[in-house]
Amino acid sequence: MTDDNAFGKALRRLRGNRSVRDVAHLANCGKSYVSDLETGRRSPTPAIAEALDEALDAGGELKRLAAAPPSSPLADQAAALRSGILDAIAAGPMTEASVEDWEWTVARQGRATRYLPEQEQLRQLVAEFGDLQRVLARRHPPAVRRRLLVAAAGLSGLLALTLLKLGDESSTSWWRTARSIAAAAEDRATVSWLYAHEAYQLYYNNDLHGAVELAVRAQHLAGGLPCVGPALAAPLEARAQARRGREDEAAAALTRAESALGRLDESDQVPSAFGYSESQLRFHAGNAWTHIQRTQRAREEHDRALLLYPPDDHTDRALIGLDRAMCAALDGDPAAAAEQATHTLLALPEQHRSALIFYRARDVAAKVPDARSLPEGRMLRDVLELPAGEG
C-alpha cells in the first residue's frame, strides 16, 4: 500500500529536533506552510521542496518525493530518481572524462542529423539539454565551464536546426540562445557555425537579403580560421544569390566555398551537422546552378553528389531529387518534373518526410502551372495534400 503523505513524513523525520519556525526560516517560507506539509494538508511546490531539501541537507530525498511520491507511476518515480542522482553528480567537480563525455554526446547528436528522423532527434536533444543545463547550473573552473558552454551552444544549435526542419517557428529563438551561449564561451568558430546555419532559416523563409547578410557574417567572424562555418556559409550565400538572379555573385561564393572546404581538416569533413563535406558542396552547388537555370551544370553536380552520399542520408538525397525535378520543369518537361518529384516523396521513408521536404516539393509544383491537366501533375498535387510525415 502506498503512502500518500510520504513527503510530510520524510520532512518531519529530517526536521528532527529543530522547530517548525527554524525550518521555515531556513527555507524562507511560512511556519504554517511547513506544518501543513508535514500533516499532508498541502502539497509542496518544486521550489519549496528544493529549498527544504537544501535547508535540511536531505540529499535530494525531498525533491524526489515532491516530484514523484510513492503513489505515482513507477516510470515517474524512476525519472525522479534519475534527476536526483544527476543533481548529486553535478554538485561535485567535473572530471576530464565527464567533460569529454558531454563533448562526445554533442558530436554524436550532430552525426545523428544525417540519419535520425527529426521528431526522434528532437526528443533526444531536449533530454540531453535538460541534463546539461543541470550541470551548467553548478560552479566550474573557467576552462571547464567554457567547454561545457561550447557543448551547450552546439546542442542549442541542433535544437534550432531540428525545429527548422520540422517547420516550427520557435527555431528562431533557439538560434539567438545558441549564439548567446557561444559568445559567453568566446568561441568564434561556434558563433560562425551558428550564423551559417541561421542563414538557412532566413533562406527558407524567403528572406534572401537576410540570408546573404548572415552568411557573409559567418565567413567574416571566422577570421580565416579553418572551421566549418565559412565552408557552410559560402554555399548558402551562393544559393541565395542564385535565387536573386545574381549569377556572378553566386559563382564567386561557390569559389569561396571550394576554398573553405579545402582548408578544413579531414575530421571536419564528416557527415554531421558540425561538419561539411564534398557531397554537401556538390549538392549545394547543384542547387545554386538550378536556380540560375543552368540545368546541365546543375545535373553534373547532382550526379557527383549522389555518388558521394550514403544511401541512408535520406534528406539531402531527397532534396537533390527535387532539384532534378526542378531542372526538368525549367527544361520544359512538366510531366517529367512532376513524376520525379512524386517519386522522390514516395520513395522517402515516412518519418523523413519533413516540412522542409514538402516546402521544396511545392516549389517544383509551382513551376508546373499546367500540371493539373497531366496525370503526373495530379498525382503530385495529391501527395502534397498529405500532412508532412505521411504518404
Side-chain angles (χ1 to χ4, degrees):
M1 184 173 179
T2 59
D3 187 349
D4 292 333
N5 191 31
F7 182 92
K9 290 182 178 179
L11 175 58
R12 178 67 189 88
R13 169 173 50 81
L14 290 163
R15 180 163 66 84
N17 294 327
R18 282 170 285 203
S19 69
V20 171
R21 183 186 300 277
D22 287 343
V23 171
H25 177 74
L26 288 171
N28 196 28
C29 63
K31 183 178 70 171
S32 61
Y33 192 4
V34 174
S35 295
D36 286 347
L37 289 174
E38 288 190 357
T39 58
R41 288 194 295 269
R42 298 181 70 174
S43 298
T45 65
I48 286 294
E50 182 172 4
L52 287 168
D53 197 282
E54 292 181 2
L56 298 174
D57 195 21
E61 180 182 359
L62 293 178
K63 288 195 293 183
R64 176 177 58 80
L65 288 172
S71 58
S72 62
L74 286 176
D76 292 346
Q77 294 182 53
L81 284 169
R82 174 182 174 277
S83 177
I85 195 66
L86 287 174
D87 280 339
I89 293 171
M94 288 290 289
T95 64
E96 177 68 17
S98 295
V99 179
E100 287 181 356
D101 184 67
W102 272 114
E103 292 170 337
W104 181 86
T105 296
V106 175
R108 180 179 64 83
Q109 289 293 341
R111 293 189 294 273
T113 59
R114 310 309 301 176
Y115 63 84
L116 201 64
E118 285 78 15
Q119 286 288 0
E120 172 58 21
Q121 179 146 46
L122 182 61
R123 184 190 66 78
Q124 292 188 17
L125 288 170
V126 168
E128 299 285 14
F129 198 93
D131 290 346
L132 182 53
Q133 183 182 43
R134 182 178 289 110
V135 173
L136 274 169
R138 305 293 178 175
R139 291 186 178 276
H140 303 286
V144 170
R145 183 168 180 78
R146 182 181 183 278
R147 290 169 66 183
L148 291 174
L149 285 172
V150 171
L155 280 183
S156 298
L158 293 178
L159 271 165
L161 185 60
T162 304
L163 289 167
L164 168 61
K165 290 179 180 178
L166 290 169
D168 191 318
E169 293 183 359
S170 67
S171 56
T172 303
S173 59
W174 273 102
W175 293 121
R176 177 168 294 281
T177 298
R179 285 192 280 109
S180 296
I181 299 171
E186 298 184 342
D187 191 289
R188 278 193 302 155
T190 300
V191 176
S192 172
W193 175 82
L194 288 165
Y195 268 112
H197 271 297
E198 189 177 0
Y200 281 77
Q201 176 96 47
L202 301 186
Y203 178 82
Y204 288 117
N205 286 340
N206 293 312
D207 181 0
L208 301 181
H209 179 84
V212 169
E213 187 174 25
L214 289 191
V216 170
R217 181 164 177 76
Q219 296 169 73
H220 173 73
L221 283 170
L225 286 173
C227 57
V228 172
L232 183 66
L236 188 278
E237 179 189 353
R239 295 167 69 188
Q241 294 288 23
R243 285 181 61 186
R244 298 168 80 188
R246 300 183 178 184
E247 182 172 347
D248 291 344
E249 288 90 339
L254 286 175
T255 299
R256 290 197 300 278
E258 297 274 2
S259 177
L261 178 63
R263 291 197 302 272
L264 283 185
D265 187 83
E266 283 189 12
S267 62
D268 288 322
Q269 298 185 43
V270 292
S272 165
F274 296 116
Y276 195 75
S277 63
E278 174 78 10
S279 57
Q280 289 173 282
L281 178 56
R282 295 306 143 214
F283 156 42
H284 293 152
N287 179 258
W289 291 120
T290 298
H291 286 301
I292 295 171
Q293 301 189 28
R294 297 272 295 276
T295 56
Q296 183 57 39
R297 181 71 180 274
R299 288 191 181 92
E300 292 170 1
E301 297 287 6
H302 295 155
D303 289 341
R304 294 173 67 185
L306 290 171
L307 287 173
L308 294 168
Y309 272 114
D312 63 350
D313 199 316
H314 299 291
T315 297
D316 282 4
R317 292 184 73 92
L319 292 171
I320 292 169
L322 294 174
D323 271 356
R324 293 169 84 88
M326 182 67 80
C327 285
L330 293 170
D331 287 342
D333 192 343
E339 184 176 13
Q340 170 75 48
T342 301
H343 172 76
T344 298
L345 291 176
L346 294 180
L348 194 61
E350 290 184 15
Q351 66 269 30
H352 289 281
R353 295 175 195 166
S354 65
L356 172 60
I357 297 293
F358 273 65
Y359 168 88
R360 293 284 291 280
R362 290 188 181 94
D363 274 353
V364 175
K367 284 290 184 182
V368 187
D370 58 345
R372 293 186 184 279
S373 63
L374 301 168
E376 298 88 350
R378 289 194 295 272
M379 182 175 291
L380 174 58
R381 300 282 178 176
D382 288 344
V383 172
L384 287 175
E385 289 298 319
L386 295 171
E390 296 185 16

